Amino acid sequence: MKDTVANPPASEARRARARIPGTPKKDTVARQLVKYLEHRGVKHVFGLCGHTNIAVLAALEKSRKIKFVNTRHEQVAAHMADGYARASGGTSVLLTHLSPGLTNAATGVANAALDSIPMVVIAGDVPTHYYGKHPHQEVNLHADASQFEIYRPFVKRAWRVDSAHLFPEILEKAFALAGSGRPGPVLVDVPMDIFSAPVDVSRFERLRHNTKSLVRPSLDEPTATAIVKKLLAAKRPVLYAGGGIMLAGATKELREFVDHLQIPVAHTLMGKGALPDDHPLVLGMTGFWGTKFINDQCRAADWILGLGTRFSEADCSSWEPEYTFNFPPTKLIHIDIDPAEIGRNYPVEIGAVADLNQALAALNRAARKLVPTGVKRPKVVKDIAAARAKFVAGNRAHATSEVYPMRPERILADVRDTLPRDALICTDVGWNKNGVGQQFPILEPGTIFTPGGYATMGFGAPAALGAKVARPDRVVVALVGDGGFGQNPAMLATAFEEDIAVVWVIMNNFAFGTIAGLEKAHFGTTFGTVFAKDGKPYSPDFAAIARAYGVDGVKIRTAAEFGPALARAIKAKKPCVIDVEMLNEPVPTAGHWNIMDIYSPGRKVHHVSTGG
Ligand SMILES: Cc1ncc(C[n+]2csc(CCOP(=O)(O)OP(=O)(O)O)c2C)c(N)n1
Ligand SMILES: [Mg+2]
């Protein structure tokens, strides 16, 4: 058995201080871990306890610099950590217990992975001296001590720490890897005896000499010049912005480039808000939930500059050339930090691996040199303004409708009218995500957080809590369906305990509405997708649930009540759940999703209304 120093008594600490000169200073891994995190500037750790990680919790209690945010479900903790990383622009830290703690968190960690969100997951594990004995709670059916393998497909790297003296450098590598290149979560899986093992403090201290931020790869000048020349020679260039713009902190550089060359900008779901939606050159979101005008502009482009996007299926209408992108004849220049994404689904003329902040700075230098006075495209600006006005006019009746249950368009319009420009908005999946992508203007870059890649129902409500912890100065609102809210209501306990003033707007259609509309369209039934009791629509009383947790809860009864209720909730600066009944109308789709060809080949059906 290993030499352990779990919770050493005061006398032992005194002995350690009075050690013989020349012998190395020792401390437990858990205490040094907390010191390390403090030194890195970590301010919050999200998580949930278990017998494997209490040494870390006990050390965290003593920290003046780090706050542990306690949750009631590891998925909640992981989504909070995800929202926190998105809102802070840094790497978040998640602490879990072994096996069920680790698997509970897996959905949240995978969600972060698919959206390239940096996160260090620290999990307790079975003691090293019990490897192979199948101790309590171990995932032990087909392999020994290998719970960390469960995370392999989605984390950038999974370490199992087998030796206390290697822990410090593993930790350092974990942070470096999570935040560099294409960001994403990593797992550091720590057998519980290692948390309590003595380690030479010098092993942690030497890490202080190591830089905590790496210089990122830029675009060389000849390539930047070649790219700008192609765009200047193009007849119908389009810039296609992905979430990588936000991850690289490149929204200012993007704006400078777009303003100088007046290139219209289409964006992915994750790229929403890369430029404000009221910028004159923003076309909007492409793909299945994009509008026809936007998809047509992309199809008709002769050159597209894709920045920080993986050209995902939903954004690209399942890559079918009749709908959104048509490469070739359209030619593609693709810049991304991850070489694996370049050329994945479309052929590229020029591909470059670079950090987008650096790349856009290089492109701006090249553009100013080649065309010092910039380019003007008044017709493009006019066409975009006309298309935008037409869309708003076409939506006006719905966006101002007094019907109750409310039209989803009206809910979104009222939310936008009520929120300050810089409010942070978290969506879940359903109308809230697809409808927001299509028709909810984001007015400040980096203020919309949505589960893009994994499309995790249950993300939005807890992610908003994490965002508010990171940015207490901002108004934070979660737009979430009744299905999504029902996944993680236990996050309300954390909201109450920690006074995290998020407002959750539940767009409640008494159904997994998006899927109900899909099943109805293809199979003529809503079986298994709607909530009912004895044949009548059913919803739990979410406002009462909120109140039971100690959180304000409001049930809306008319469309006119909603906007003022939201304004009051924001003003109160307290957590508040607003439950709004909503018709189950599908988000209009102009693009395509290939699943339609699986269910209804040859027929152009998408989703249909299932009413209210
Ligand atoms: C964890 C998870 N399970 C299932 C799905 C499939 N799914 C996509 S949308 C949706 C319905 C969401 O219902 P709700 O939150 O009420 O929003 P609505 O569609 O009604 O607007 C489901 C179940 C998913 N995305 N995530
Ligand atoms: Mg619903």
Side-chain angles (χ1 to χ4, degrees):
M1 194 165 149
K2 285 206 168 140
D3 183 15
T4 60
V5 276
N7 301 321
S11 57
E12 194 178 313
R14 264 199 307 279
R15 261 205 313 281
R17 277 199 297 278
R19 70 189 188 283
I20 304 158
T23 57
K25 191 172 150 200
K26 301 253 187 200
D27 195 6
T28 65
V29 164
R31 282 196 298 259
Q32 284 299 306
L33 161 64
V34 171
K35 284 214 166 71
Y36 174 89
L37 297 177
E38 285 177 344
H39 189 254
R40 264 207 101 94
V42 170
K43 303 237 164 6
H44 293 90
V45 171
F46 301 87
L48 202 151
C49 62
H51 70 260
T52 57
N53 63 21
I54 49 177
V56 180
L57 288 177
L60 276 170
E61 186 191 17
K62 305 226 162 46
S63 174
R64 296 232 175 88
K65 296 187 177 149
I66 301 176
K67 182 168 176 40
F68 175 69
V69 182
N70 199 1
T71 63
R72 306 297 169 92
H73 194 296
E74 290 85 352
Q75 187 186 351
V76 167
H79 288 319
M80 281 186 77
D82 184 338
Y84 181 87
R86 292 181 202 231
S88 67
T91 300
S92 56
V93 181
L94 175 67
L95 178 70
T96 79
H97 179 46
L98 57 68
S99 300
L102 195 73
T103 49
N104 268 355
T107 300
V109 177
N111 185 82
L114 270 279
D115 287 348
S116 309
I117 305 302
M119 186 187 291
V120 173
V121 184
I122 301 170
D125 201 347
V126 296
T128 49
H129 47 267
Y130 284 156
Y131 286 180
K133 286 182 72 70
H134 294 182
H136 184 54
Q137 285 188 297
E138 189 193 3
V139 179
N140 61 17
L141 290 170
H142 310 293
D144 298 331
S146 61
Q147 63 161 13
F148 66 103
E149 304 276 3
I150 298 169
Y151 273 44
R152 272 224 195 282
F154 51 85
V155 293
K156 290 180 78 176
R157 182 140 181 206
W159 283 273
R160 187 184 66 189
V161 182
D162 288 346
S163 157
H165 76 271
L166 290 176
F167 180 77
E169 57 194 75
I170 288 175
L171 197 56
E172 179 86 343
K173 286 180 202 157
F175 273 94
L177 190 61
S180 59
R182 176 181 180 167
V186 295
L187 172 66
V188 183
D189 182 75
V190 190
M192 58 179 289
D193 54 316
I194 286 185
F195 278 140
S196 292
V199 64
D200 287 357
V201 170
S202 61
R203 288 187 180 274
F204 279 92
E205 283 173 351
R206 66 191 286 272
L207 296 175
R208 298 203 178 166
H209 303 290
N210 193 29
T211 178
K212 298 293 177 270
S213 64
L214 298 176
V215 176
R216 300 167 73 90
S218 184
L219 199 62
D220 62 90
E221 203 185 309
T223 308
T225 304
I227 290 172
V228 174
K229 279 187 176 161
K230 294 280 187 214
L231 295 174
L232 289 173
K235 289 195 178 60
R236 301 192 61 163
V238 167
L239 200 150
Y240 191 49
I245 297 280
M246 261 71 69
L247 291 169
T251 58
K252 270 217 304 276
E253 291 73 11
L254 173 71
R255 190 176 187 139
E256 190 184 327
F257 189 65
V258 170
D259 287 345
H260 195 71
L261 296 185
Q262 291 225 321
I263 299 177
V265 180
H267 60 75
T268 67
L269 174 69
M270 294 302 290
K272 191 169 175 73
L275 275 184
D277 277 321
D278 55 1
H279 186 285
L281 285 154
V282 170
L283 292 162
M285 186 174 81
T286 60
F288 183 48
W289 289 287
T291 66
K292 185 159 174 7
F293 173 74
I294 301 159
N295 285 334
D296 285 350
Q297 297 299 305
C298 291
R299 271 201 88 240
D302 55 350
W303 281 87
I304 289 182
L305 171 60
L307 298 174
T309 170
R310 61 188 178 93
F311 287 95
S312 72
E313 185 188 1
D315 294 323
C316 299
S317 294
S318 292
W319 309 288
E320 294 192 9
E322 310 85 299
Y323 296 95
T324 302
F325 294 112
N326 192 14
F327 300 107
T330 303
K331 292 193 161 77
L332 175 60
I333 303 165
H334 193 178
I335 307 177
D336 200 273
I337 192 75
D338 184 356
E341 293 303 341
I342 297 174
R344 179 188 294 287
N345 285 305
Y346 292 125
V348 291
E349 288 281 318
I350 302 177
V353 178
D355 170 72
L356 284 163
N357 185 298
Q358 307 263 5
L360 276 160
L363 290 172
N364 280 324
R365 282 194 298 274
R368 277 196 302 271
K369 225 185 219 171
L370 288 167
V371 273
T373 53
V375 176
K376 296 272 170 276
R377 299 180 212 263
K379 168 129 186 6
V380 171
V381 171
K382 206 167 130 230
D383 289 352
I384 293 175
R388 208 177 276 172
K390 194 170 157 211
F391 182 84
V392 170
N395 217 20
R396 187 160 294 127
H398 289 335
T400 55
S401 166
E402 292 292 336
V403 296
Y404 199 86
M406 288 175 77
R407 294 267 342 171
E409 299 86 345
R410 167 83 193 261
I411 297 177
L412 294 190
D414 284 6
V415 171
R416 184 66 281 176
D417 287 349
T418 309
L419 294 189
R421 251 186 105 83
D422 67 352
L424 304 181
I425 297 133
C426 284
T427 84
D428 202 73
V429 299
W431 230 103
N432 53 83
K433 170 164 92 62
N434 310 328
V436 162
Q438 182 186 80
Q439 55 180 263
F440 186 96
I442 293 300
L443 305 175
E444 295 285 336
T447 56
I448 175 78
F449 308 131
T450 202
Y454 217 42
T456 309
M457 183 171 59
F459 162 85
L465 280 180
K468 183 73 181 174
V469 172
R471 298 300 307 263
D473 54 317
R474 297 285 185 91
V475 170
V476 179
V477 170
L479 295 172
V480 46
D482 51 324
F485 193 86
Q487 294 255 294
N488 283 316
M491 57 90 210
L492 289 168
T494 302
F496 178 73
E497 286 169 346
E498 303 289 345
D499 294 317
I500 308 172
V502 165
V503 180
W504 295 270
V505 174
I506 303 180
M507 300 167 75
N508 188 350
N509 52 17
F510 292 54
F512 293 127
T514 305
I515 307 301
L518 187 66
E519 192 184 13
K520 182 92 184 282
H522 294 281
F523 298 99
T525 174
T526 58
F527 181 77
T529 61
V530 297
F531 310 140
K533 165 87 176 155
D534 299 331
K536 288 208 197 82
Y538 159 74
S539 171
D541 183 343
F542 289 113
I545 290 173
R547 287 194 291 272
Y549 275 100
V551 167
D552 287 354
V554 180
K555 174 111 183 78
I556 300 297
R557 309 257 165 222
T558 66
E561 272 176 39
F562 173 57
L566 177 59
R568 273 195 303 278
I570 290 168
K571 206 160 160 231
K573 295 194 162 69
K574 277 163 53 186
C576 180
V577 169
I578 302 181
D579 182 3
V580 195
E581 285 182 32
M582 179 179 88
L583 296 172
N584 190 26
E585 293 294 326
V587 179
T589 52
H592 186 63
W593 191 2
N594 184 262
I595 61 166
M596 308 305 167
D597 304 327
I598 296 170
Y599 289 134
S600 302
R603 286 168 53 214
K604 295 266 173 228
V605 291
H606 280 169
H607 296 64
V608 296
S609 165
T610 67

